[in-house]
Structure formats: structure tokens, C-alpha cells
Amino acid sequence: MSTMTDPPKADFRLSMLINDTRYRSLTFQVIAAIVIALSIWYLGNNLIQNLRAAGLNISYAFLGDSAGYDINQRLVEYDSQSSHARAALVGLLNTLLVAFLACITATVFGVIAGVLRLSNNWLVSKLMAVYVEIFRNIPVLIWIIIIFTIMTAVLPAPSAFRGENPTSSMLFGSFAFTNRGIYFPRPEFANGLFASTALNWLLVIAVLIGSWFVSGEVEKRATKKQEETGERPATLLPKLAIWLVPFVLLMIIMGLTWDVPELKRFNFSGGLNAGGPLIALWFALSIYTGAFIAENVRAGIQAISKGQTEAAAALGLRQGRIMKLVILPQALRVIIPPLISQYLNITKNSSLAIAVGYADITATLGGITLNQTGRAIECVLLLMLFYLTASLLISTGMNIYNASVKLKER
Amino acid sequence: MSDQATNPIAFVAEGTIPPSPPPANETGVVKWLRENLFSGVVNSILTVLSLILIYILLKNTLPWILNGVWNANSLAECREILGDKTGACFAVLTERWPQLIYGFKYPVDAYWRPNLAFVLMLVAIAPVLFFDLPRKMLLFTAVYPFLAFWLIWGGTILVPLVALVGCIAAGGVFQKLGNNNFAAGFFGAIVTALVIWNVGGALIPEGASENAWLTAVPSRDLGGFMLNMMLGVTCVSLSVPLGIALALGRQSNMPLIKWVCVIFIEFIRGVPLITLLFVASVMLAYFFPPDSTVDLFLRVVIMITMFSSAYIAEVIRGGLAALPRGQYEAADSLGLDYPQAMRLIILPQALKISIPGIVNVAVGLFKDTTLVSVISMFDLVGMIRGPILASTEWNGVYWELLGFAALLFFVVCYGISQYSQWLERRLATDHR
């Protein structure tokens, strides 16, 4: 019988650094660290030499200088005297605006197309397959340009609304679709509770959030009642009242009026304006990403076994309720992770705004500001920092949501 | 019973009655229509709506396409030929065809070179895509990059020749040393290649390109759809090995290597390609030695390769994670070391799982090559938006040009995705 003995303790030899698994990973990491340090030193050295040769230095002071260019589409106050930092802020908000809008509409398009692609109707499912294939396989840049061209070439110029017999007229007398963008009425408060418009709007939002909470409470109470007694009290009317009454009251108190766009000498003025580039970018991103989301939705629904549908049908549920109560809640778990990456893609693809002249952060900070000040390194670094932060925030937020809908396993 | 009594001759069927055909609305076209198009009220409404949509689309596009003018020299001439009819002016495609495909600066008498490179590319790529072809064709695939470089850029043949010799020597060294010790073979191959490239580069005489067989074409003269194809093919083929390395690095249990890979991948995936292209166009030059001139094409290739390798790394990581743990343990218990286990057991299976994902990344990347038009390179979209639409003859022919670009990309991308689906079915050797 043999006994296990410790292996003979060999003295440390240099060859063990490469042949002995205990030391080998250490060796490799030291080599890697040296290589990385050397390449960083090499690149940094080149950078310093090149900057010195060009007479530049890294400084962010230019952000305080006056920008000197105009931005049409803006959410906050801005004029050409404002600083480059302010211009970047306008661009940042514009990026977030178009990304937010496109995420919502892309989800709507995607869910509709994805569900319809599974329809029993042969024609409809084939049409949706064609939609998905066409929009997925053509670059989004081409879509943005095509839709921008439609906007500018097909829609009438503001001058078409003029004269005795105008060739175009405003929809309901208040919406104007022109090749410079869409003009629509802006809600205004004649006697707001606060002096600043922003605070008034915050109040409106607060009231809406309050209604949302209360109606959620009502729903919960109804479910509790149903579990206790088996009868579900009608919640539609109370909920409608909770949503409408405070809102309408607030509107009456604050004196809601509409600032309707009017045709002035060369263009419409007053009201709100969603410029052509915004609409083009928004729509193009929505239909392009919608095609991808449709595929995710279809895959998610197909991942749910047919037995689920049949079991639900055997319980006597109607077609719509099967979808709503049985299939979608399960499919959602499969759909959400790819949906997150689609939202990230929308945010990143919104940087293509520069191709149609929408003033997002790539076009302001990475475009005009960069060209005017020549501060390439600083601008590009700031730009990357912004997108990195936005991506991380979106994926964190969506991951939290994903965790909340995940199957709770014991 | 009384019937029988009054009627002595009972009725007896002498043969079987032939089966009657099913009711008309249960067979053929009618049944298909009823089941697939008009099975309910909602379905019928949807069908009618779809038919109306298709009708509107066809009504507006068909005359436009069918009346198209293919021969004219300007938009005005086109409109003259068309008269009152609505119709497309496809003449812009025929007249500007070379510009759309090769860009507007590539020498006209050298168009055969990219054409030949394209045809040879199909030959070189075939054995990679279809496994049934003879394996010897891979030799040509290995030589192809150097040949294509020489064909497209021209200049002296010595440059690609030295590069090729360096690669062959490196391969030889790897074969010799790598059998016993992967690391020795790997680093030996790199050193060999670097030595040969440097020595060979120094041996190439000054001005060898002046009187070469093929006139040299600078990178900035490349353009059109050729540029999209070149960027797409180069970057995808470069980023697959890089992506494999990154994915393995991310799985590594050496913390330093793991974290370098994680930071690289997450950083690249967090920023849009456009910012990386900005880096290529305005920033990357600062990181090269002061006296070097690295042209824009190479800088763009570097950045796009980094971009796609991060995405491919994530796809391959998925493949590696999908392998059962037993495969790793089996490799270990056979006594294979890390490079052997990866090369012989893990990667072949993991790559098979990741092929559809890699093809998706490749399609996405090929579409994204259009973004280089933003940093003023004249690829297909850049040509359309720049020189062609700005010219006096063709100012205003949006639909024909954009439609052509869309069609071209659609054909290539749809083709690739169909290939990927075929490959997936072909490789599905389990779960029959």
C-alpha cells in the first residue's frame, strides 16, 4: 500500500515561471502589465509631442466661450451668445428627446408588427415579414436621409398656405405640416399658480402622478375585494373620475389657452415647432428599430409553448385575454433583455442626427463646436463620456425593471 | 314492413356510389382564401386593408418604375423625354455608374483591378462559407488579402510580397515551435514576422512604385460602393480573431487581463460608432509618431475593427458560456493545456454556436460602413449626397439614387442573412 506524500519541494527555478501553472499566470500578467504600460507610455508620449508641435494643450476653458451659432430646435433657452457648454446642454437634451420619443414609437411599431407577423391571416403576416426584412436590411442612415427627403420634397412650403386660394390648409385650423417641420398649438396658462412656466408644468405632472397612484390604489382595493368576496367592484368610472376631475379642475383654475401657430411673412410663428430633422430622425429610428423589435417580439411569443395557449383556451378565456393574461406576461421575460439593447441602439443611433442637421449633442459638441474651436480631443472625449453615461444609465434602469418582472424562483 | 309486402322487388344497390366531391367552399382556392384571409370579421378587415395598402403602393410606384428613362445626360433632358408622364430618371444610374461603384477619383483605366479583386474575393471566400469545397482552396484564401491589396492600391508588388513572405515565415515558425509550446510558437512567429517586415521594408528601393506594373492609387481616391465593400470585408475578417481573443480574455481567470478586456468591450459598446469615427478622423493622428502619416482609410479600419471586435467578443462569450462545463473538465482531464484545449475542444464548439450572432454583427457592420460618409469619405452614400446630388445635371434626383443604394444594401444584407440561416440548419447536428 502506498501512501500519498507531499511532492518533493523543489527549489524555485526560473523555468517554473513559464512551466509551472502556479507561477505562469503571474508571469503572463506581469508581461501584460509591462506591455500595456509601454503602449500607454508610447501613445501618451506621441500625444504630448504632437500637441507640442501643434502648439495645443488640453484645456476645457473653451466651454465657457460664446458659441456664436444658432440652434433652431431647443428645449431650453439658448441664443448665439450662449456658451459652448450651453450649446452642448441643448444638444444633450435634444438627444434625450429624440431617443425617448423613438423608443416609445419603435416599441409600438415593433409590438404591432411582431404580433401581426404571427397572425393567421396569410396576407398580413407576409406583409409584416416584408416590412421587417426591408427595414432591417437597409442602413439606418439611408432611411434617415430618405425620410428627411420625403419631409422636404413632398410636404408643402409655408408659402403654399398663403393667398386667396392656398394650395394647402391647416389641419383643424391649428396644425400645419410644412417642409420646415410640423407646427402645432402650444398650451399656455393665462393665470398660472406660479410665476414660472416650468413650475406650472411641474404642478401638472405632479397632479398626474398623484392620479396614477390613487388609481393604482383603487385597482389594488378592487382586487382585494375580489379575492375576499369573489365579486369585482366596477373600477372604470371611479378611475376615470380620478384621472379627469383633478386635471380638468387644474386646467380651469390655471386658465388653459392654446397658442395657435399663425402664418407670418415667411413662415409660421407662435405655437410649437417640431422641425423636419427631428421628425425625420424620430420616424426613421422608429421604423428601423421597430423592425428589430418585431423580430424580438415574435421570438418571445414563439418561445412560449403552444400548450399555454391551449390550456388558456380550455379554461374558456377569449382570444384577446389569452394574449393579455397568459402569453404576453410570459413572453415579456424573453423580450425584455433584447429590448434593452434595442433602446441602447436607438440612443446610439440618434447620433446620426448630424446627417440631417438635427442639433443633437453629436452635431453641437462634436460638430460645430469642434470645428469652431479645433478642440478635437476634448470634444470627442466629452461626447464619449456622455454616451457612455447614457448607455450605463439606460441599461441599469432597464435591468432593474427586468429583475422585477423576472420569474421569481424559490 | 308493409312496404316490402306491397312492393316485392326490394332495392339493392349493385355498386358503391362514387364519393361526391366536397362542397365547393371546402376545397382548393376557396378553402385557402376562407381559412387564410377571411376567417373572421377582424381578419377580413385586415385583409381588405392590406389589399388597399398594396394597391396604393403599386399604383404609385409601378408607373414610376415602368416609365423610367434609362438614357439621358441630365435631369432636364430626362423630364423632356418623359413629358407629362410620371416616371423615374434611372439615367442617373447609368451615367454615374462608375462614380457610384468606384468613387469619382479612381483612375478610369484601372477599373478592371477592383473588378478582378471582387471576383477573386468570391473565389477566396467560397471555401470559408461552404465546407464541401476542396480544402486546398483555403491556400488561395490565405494569399488573397495580399493580392487584393496589390490590385486595388497598385504600386510595387514588393510591398505585399514582403508582407506575404513575413506571414509565411511566421506560420512556419509557429508550426515548428508551436507544437510543443504554444507561447513559444506564438511569440516566435510575431518576432519573425516583424523582423522580416522591417528588413524587407528597408530593402524595397525608393521610388519602386513609380514604374510599377500597376499605377499606385492613393487611399483617398477610393470611393463608392467599393469602399463600403472593402471596409466591411476587411473589418469583419480582422475583428473575428480579435473578438475571439477578447472573449477568451474576458473569461480568463487572470484579473489583470480580464479587467482590461472588460473595460475595452464595455467602453466600445457604450459609445456610438460615429464618435469612434470622429476619433479616427480628428483624434487618432495625435497618437501616432509625429513624422508618420497614417492615411484616413487605415485609421477608419482600425476604429471600425475595434468597434466590431467588441461586439463579436460578446457573441463569442455567449457561445463559450453555452458550452456545458463538462467539456472544459473533459479537456483538462485529457491533460491538454490551455491552448490545446481551446483549439481542439472548446473553440470549435463555441464558434459553431456563435456563427449566427457573428453573421448578425457582420451584417450590422456592413450597414454601418455608410457612416463614414459623415466624416467626409465618399462611400456610396457619400457619393450620392456629395458629388452627384450637388452636380448641376442631377440636382434633385433623390429617389432613384437613394432607392438604388437601398436596393444594393438590401440585396447584400438579405443574402448574408439567408446564408446564415442555411448554415444554422446545416450545422444543427444535435437535437434531431
Side-chain angles (χ1 to χ4, degrees), chain B residues 196-213:
Chain B
I196 291 185
W197 288 339
N198 273 318
V199 172
L203 287 180
I204 296 175
E206 285 282 327
S209 295
E210 314 265 305
N211 295 315
W213 293 332

Side-chain angles (χ1 to χ4, degrees), chain A residues 67-299:
Chain A
Y69 57 90
D70 272 322
I71 301 177
N72 287 328
Q73 189 83 45
R74 54 180 184 259
L75 292 174
V76 289
E77 285 305 312
Y78 173 87
D79 59 54
S80 59
Q81 297 306 308
S82 307
S83 64
H84 282 296
R86 188 80 179 170
L89 176 72
V90 173
L92 189 154
L93 290 174
N94 278 343
T95 297
L96 295 180
L97 171 73
V98 75
F100 177 72
L101 292 175
C103 281
I104 295 174
T105 40
T107 315
V108 173
F109 287 153
V111 171
I112 293 176
V115 171
L116 283 185
R117 201 175 167 186
L118 292 172
S119 149
N120 303 328
N121 192 317
W122 181 85
L123 195 61
V124 170
S125 71
K126 281 286 171 287
L127 262 186
M128 287 302 139
V130 169
Y131 158 74
V132 167
E133 290 302 341
I134 286 186
F135 280 87
R136 262 190 346 163
N137 286 317
I138 294 175
V140 64
L141 183 63
I142 294 185
W143 281 122
I144 293 174
I145 297 171
I146 286 181
I147 292 175
F148 185 64
T149 313
I150 296 179
M151 288 283 304
T152 48
V154 175
L155 289 178
S159 58
F161 292 83
R162 186 187 310 283
E164 287 295 307
N165 294 310
T167 45
S168 313
S169 60
M170 291 168 82
L171 191 64
F172 307 127
S174 45
F175 292 84
F177 296 87
T178 74
N179 60 3
R180 295 194 191 175
I182 296 173
Y183 294 84
F184 51 95
R186 175 175 55 192
E188 275 186 348
F189 299 119
N191 41 358
L193 299 180
F194 300 101
S196 110
T197 330
L199 280 179
N200 281 329
W201 279 110
L202 274 182
L203 182 67
V204 174
I205 292 171
V207 166
L208 286 179
I209 291 178
S211 303
W212 182 62
F213 262 113
V214 176
S215 79
E217 259 333 288
V218 168
E219 188 79 0
K220 257 187 217 159
R221 202 165 287 176
T223 312
K224 205 175 159 203
K225 186 103 181 268
Q226 186 182 18
E227 277 166 4
E228 280 167 1
T229 63
E231 271 181 42
R232 189 180 181 81
T235 55
L236 185 66
L237 277 181
K239 268 165 77 181
L240 215 58
I242 288 166
W243 277 106
L244 282 182
V245 171
F247 184 71
V248 171
L249 271 181
L250 187 71
M251 289 299 134
I252 292 172
I253 292 172
M254 302 218 295
L256 177 74
T257 52
W258 296 93
D259 177 19
V260 177
E262 264 180 280
L263 191 59
K264 290 284 162 57
R265 288 183 58 194
F266 294 110
N267 202 346
F268 285 90
S269 73
L272 280 175
N273 171 22
L278 169 65
I279 307 273
L281 189 65
W282 173 19
F283 198 62
L285 284 177
S286 309
I287 50 175
Y288 176 77
T289 318
F292 285 89
I293 295 181
E295 281 298 273
N296 295 337
V297 169
R298 182 177 70 111

Side-chain angles (χ1 to χ4, degrees), chain A residues 329-346:
Chain A
Q330 299 185 71
L332 216 55
R333 295 194 189 107
V334 187
I335 296 170
I336 283 178
L339 201 61
I340 299 174
S341 59
Q342 292 306 336
Y343 287 167
L344 289 175
N345 280 346
I346 288 184

